[in-house]
Amino acid sequence: MVAVDRGRYTCQVGDASVTAMRARELGRKSVVVGDRVALVGDVSGAPGALARIVRIAERTSVLRRTADDDDTTTEGRIERVVVANADQLVIVSSLADPPPRTGFIDRCLVAAYDADIDPLLCLTKADLAGPDAVLGYYAELDLPHVLCRPDTGVDDLRDALTGRISVLVGHSGVGKSTLVNRLVPDADRAVGAVSAAGKGRHTSTSAVALQLPVDKPTWIIDTPGVRSFGLAHVSAESLLHGFPDLVEATVDCPPGCEHTADDPGCALDAWVAAGHADERRLRSYRRLLASRSGDPDPEASPTDAV
Ligand SMILES: Nc1nc2c(ncn2[C@@H]2O[C@H](COP(=O)(O)OP(=O)(O)OP(=O)(O)O)[C@@H](O)[C@H]2O)c(=O)[nH]1
Ligand SMILES: [Zn+2]
């Protein structure tokens, strides 16, 4: 399933784009972009033809987010499946305009590791600022990255995407639509101007899977609706696995240590003091830990940016 719009699902069957509705037998099961589905009815893709989705295949991966982990109401705690069956999460961050936000990248990394999806850091607007600050912050991680700028094309990114199903996430204005248009010239995603507030203008709306014109089956899933990655559904232990540069230290923590700044004897402080990991990574981890219990949104914190 490649797109959904007001209860109408678009499914790719060979070269045909088939419109389908949910069949009643699906019950309350959700169908999300990336799902492999079984269709019955008119699958010709002819104008006006309508098929029905009768079954959803077992998912190989599920990328989730909580709607908003600041919101402690039931609605705010609802866990949503963003995309099914992806094998790579492309975290798109601009190096300037808007400035990179490592807090957001860290959240995405947690979501990727939690879903067992490989992360790829895609740094855009390399013509405006260098990548050293961001790459320095992740120096202890084996994090693959690509740099994109207007004049050098997107060959490195295309190579990293080929043969995979990749989800693109990023704040508004980082240049995601620009990348998608260069990778899939037919996509025609709206490119907007960054607003004076640096927040970017919300120009694109619905998630969609697009096939890249390369020789292996290759998909990118653009998720313009995903503005943040609430992690309330991720356990404290899984959260720590989003910080592979810190996780090793915790074997020396006292039993029951929750690794907060208030935990006496938490081994993470000594680990960072000894120079094994960047102190800002520990602060970021503790902010995320706190955000899950309803404390102020760490993404709003100015210390979030490098
Ligand atoms: N200098 C520079 N500007 C870029 C680059 N890539 C994109 N831009 C500009 O950044 C602005 C935002 O680009 P978009 O592609 O619309 O960003 P987006 O992430 O899709 O934003 P939304 O559509 O709001 O989700 C546009 O004015 C682009 O022309 C780049 O590599 N360098
Ligand atoms: Zn600890």
Side-chain angles (χ1 to χ4, degrees):
M1 201 273 283
V2 297
V4 55
D5 182 26
R6 278 161 291 180
R8 295 258 162 157
Y9 297 86
T10 306
C11 305
Q12 192 72 25
V13 183
D15 287 336
S17 205
V18 177
T19 304
M21 311 282 283
R22 299 164 57 87
R24 199 166 293 144
E25 50 261 53
L26 283 182
R28 293 169 66 88
K29 252 187 235 160
S30 66
V31 187
V32 300
V33 170
D35 265 325
R36 295 189 176 88
V37 298
L39 297 171
V40 297
D42 189 341
V43 293
S44 64
L50 195 59
R52 281 182 303 131
I53 300 174
V54 290
R55 203 171 55 79
I56 306 165
E58 202 177 322
R59 295 166 176 165
T60 56
S61 78
V62 179
L63 182 65
R64 300 170 202 275
R65 63 188 268 260
T66 316
D68 186 349
D69 54 20
D70 250 6
D71 185 347
T72 48
T73 63
T74 317
E75 171 65 21
R77 294 267 153 182
I78 292 176
E79 178 185 325
R80 291 164 211 274
V81 173
V82 181
V83 159
N85 300 318
D87 53 22
Q88 183 163 249
L89 182 68
V90 181
I91 307 162
V92 186
S93 173
S94 47
L95 291 163
D97 190 28
R101 304 186 68 171
T102 51
F104 176 74
I105 300 173
D106 288 346
R107 277 173 178 266
C108 294
L109 289 175
V110 170
Y113 291 123
D114 185 55
D116 213 4
I117 295 174
D118 296 332
L120 172 72
L121 186 56
C122 176
L123 299 171
T124 61
K125 309 199 188 186
D127 53 318
L128 300 181
D132 293 354
V134 178
L135 295 180
Y137 179 79
Y138 292 109
E140 300 297 327
L141 267 73
D142 212 1
L143 187 60
H145 74 273
V146 290
L147 290 181
C148 296
R149 47 196 301 158
D151 50 336
T152 54
V154 282
D155 294 346
D156 290 349
L157 179 59
R158 189 183 292 107
D159 287 350
L161 299 173
T162 298
R164 312 192 71 161
I165 301 174
S166 303
V167 185
L168 266 60
V169 290
H171 278 301
S172 183
V174 296
K176 231 157 28 94
S177 306
T178 303
L179 290 178
V180 171
N181 286 337
R182 289 164 85 188
L183 292 163
V184 191
D186 296 342
D188 211 15
R189 306 294 278 170
V191 171
V194 179
S195 72
K199 284 243 166 206
R201 202 174 52 192
H202 183 58
T203 40
S204 18
T205 50
S206 54
V208 62
L210 300 160
Q211 197 159 16
L212 259 64
V214 291
D215 39 9
K216 286 191 204 155
T218 302
W219 291 86
I220 49 174
I221 301 174
D222 190 12
T223 58
V226 178
R227 297 270 156 239
S228 70
F229 247 106
L231 297 173
H233 63 282
V234 178
S235 71
E237 201 189 325
S238 295
L239 194 70
L240 188 59
H241 287 103
F243 291 79
D245 44 342
L246 300 178
V247 69
E248 203 182 317
T250 59
V251 293
D252 293 327
C253 283
C257 182
E258 290 180 353
H259 317 309
T260 70
D262 301 328
D263 273 284
C266 176
L268 288 173
D269 298 279
W271 180 256
V272 162
H276 296 307
D278 192 316
E279 190 253 324
R280 294 169 301 172
R281 286 277 292 164
L282 176 56
R283 277 212 305 270
S284 175
Y285 167 66
R286 286 182 169 154
R287 278 204 300 272
L288 284 187
L289 203 59
S291 76
R292 295 165 55 264
S293 46
D295 281 4
D297 181 2
E299 277 188 75
S301 158
T303 54
D304 219 16
V306 287

